[in-house]
Amino acid sequence: MSKYSVLPQNVSERDFDAAIQEFTAILGADKVLTTADKLLPYGKIMMAVDTAEHAASAVLLATTVEQIQAIVRVCNTYKVPIWTISTGRNFGYGSAAPVERGQVILDLRLMNKILHVDPELCTALVEPGVTYQQLYDYIEENKLPLMLSFSAPSAIAGPLGNTMDRGVGYTPYGEHFLMQCGMEVVLPNGEVLRTGMGSVKGDKAWQVFKWGYGPTLDGMFTQSNYGICTKMGFWLMPKPPVFKPFEIQFDEESDISDIVEMLRPLRIAQIIPNSVVIAGTLWEAATCNTRRSDYMSTPGATPDSVLKQIQKDKHLGAWNVYAALYGTPEQVEVNWKIVTDVIKKAGKGRIITQEDAGDTQPFKYRAQLMSGVPNLQEFGLYNWRGGGGSMWFAPVSQARGSECEKQMKLAKTILNKHGLDYVGEFIVGWRDMHHVIDVLFDRSNPEETARANACFSELLDEFEKEGYAVYRVNTAFQERVAQSYGPVKRDLERTLKRALDPNGILAPGKCGINI
Ligand SMILES: Cc1cc2nc3c(=O)[nH]c(=O)nc-3n(C[C@H](O)[C@H](O)[C@H](O)COP(=O)(O)OP(=O)(O)OC[C@H]3O[C@@H](n4cnc5c(N)ncnc54)[C@H](O)[C@@H]3O)c2cc1C
């Protein structure tokens, strides 16, 4: 029997022993984890597959770029595959666990220095382990007039990991990869590349000019396995003098089409400058500790009559729109009039302001997300069904009412058919919608877990038939989603992989990319 609970694929125990010895020489024994108890926290996958399929063989805690370079060289020698995480809070997309069983996790959470924040140019440069909370605290302690954009698990997740996975937030800077500027990357051969202006000695424009010279490379390191990002620059928003969050509640599920038609022009023209959220009833109820067991004890999908009851009991809309205005008092006043006139003209939608909502949830946490104050309120989603199962289904849609309605109906029909609920929201980009659905299920129930897996497969299949693909997916389905983007893209990705990483040591299988 092996002394390791899992070995990397195609690596003998002897070679793995030798690699572990070399990792230990680089990092010190306390930064090389191999025992089952130490690996346990990295195995909480939330997905509807066996935990064993994503079990890591070891964890390495690096603290310097030089250590990462040395680790990569060892990996090449012994063909040990490595899976990089920054803060490792990719919940619902695979969390910290590797895409394939046996990969060694390179955990960069101890590299957590805020390297630079420029309050005049409104830029930041950070290491992988920096959390949004840490950056928020730094901004507050130094009284800097800056605002952060982050994902909902803000307090514990971080900008580098979130941006590497092309995540989104809720302020006007909510499209995070758009706001990224400059990366430092350890390549699979151990060399260090700086993107954009960063490779010019002495250049100071690394965090202000994205494009540099020649091919622009940053994008190819996101959602890929071509490099390990060790520093990332990004832009921060100046804190506006006035921040005015608001909610608009709509009573009917069928209102989604009108809502999107109403909001799109306001969003494209930047009257509403942030990533507007249109959240369904169950999302709202669940984030505020409503449990399915409060209403039902029978398994299966929750009927519409119960959704209506929840709407009534919790004072929610079928759709709950959250947006905000930012600027000087004059700007906000003008834009507020434009927004309220549009709602009035539509003849439906209840506007709720900060004054109306006071300190109540979910308005409070939504307003915090839109104004750059971290919180963890959204984890309430996991109380809805209980049991800790979660897989985000995130198809992209045009910001067109008819398209959103079609997607919503299709998703709900498939989820309900499998005895699961539509717990979804739309996040309005500039011209797109991130349609984000939390496929929630009880992981402690094998039958429900199997249903959730079948449901997720069917969602992908049926959406693809309608010409819709997802922008991001959990590690159990990354190979499947890569297929939906067609062979030409896959061939190019494989060509790049073979050129950059001939031994296939960086996250083989991530986003379906292999040598
Ligand atoms: C309740 C809830 C709400 C959520 N809301 C949002 C949301 O609003 N927006 C959103 O985007 N997500 C959301 N998520 C998903 C996820 O939790 C966040 O995206 C989170 O920010 C990702 O975790 P992280 O920042 O720790 O990234 P990590 O887990 O560290 O990284 C994410 C992935 O990027 C890659 N990666 C990380 N670091 C590196 C590196 N240094 N080099 C190369 N590759 C790297 C890896 O593949 C890794 O798996 C939500 C999750 C939950 C549970």
Side-chain angles (χ1 to χ4, degrees), residues 111-173:
M111 291 175 72
N112 64 353
K113 285 196 277 302
I114 298 170
L115 298 166
H116 190 60
V117 175
D118 188 319
E120 283 154 10
L121 292 166
C122 305
T123 64
L125 181 67
V126 298
E127 289 190 332
V130 169
T131 62
Y132 287 115
Q133 182 73 50
Q134 195 184 335
L135 204 50
Y136 173 79
D137 291 345
Y138 179 91
I139 289 169
E140 289 301 298
E141 278 157 22
N142 291 285
K143 299 189 174 36
L144 303 178
L146 297 170
M147 201 167 84
L148 266 182
S149 175
F150 41 65
S151 58
S154 44
I156 52 177
L160 196 147
N162 181 272
T163 308
M164 289 305 277
D165 218 23
R166 296 208 292 271
V168 296
Y170 303 91
T171 76
Y173 282 34

Side-chain angles (χ1 to χ4, degrees), residues 205-228:
W206 194 24
Q207 266 66 73
V208 295
F209 184 62
K210 286 163 78 86
W211 315 120
Y213 176 74
T216 301
L217 299 172
D218 302 62
M220 75 176 220
F221 293 109
T222 64
Q223 289 196 2
S224 76
N225 48 17
Y226 300 144
I228 297 167

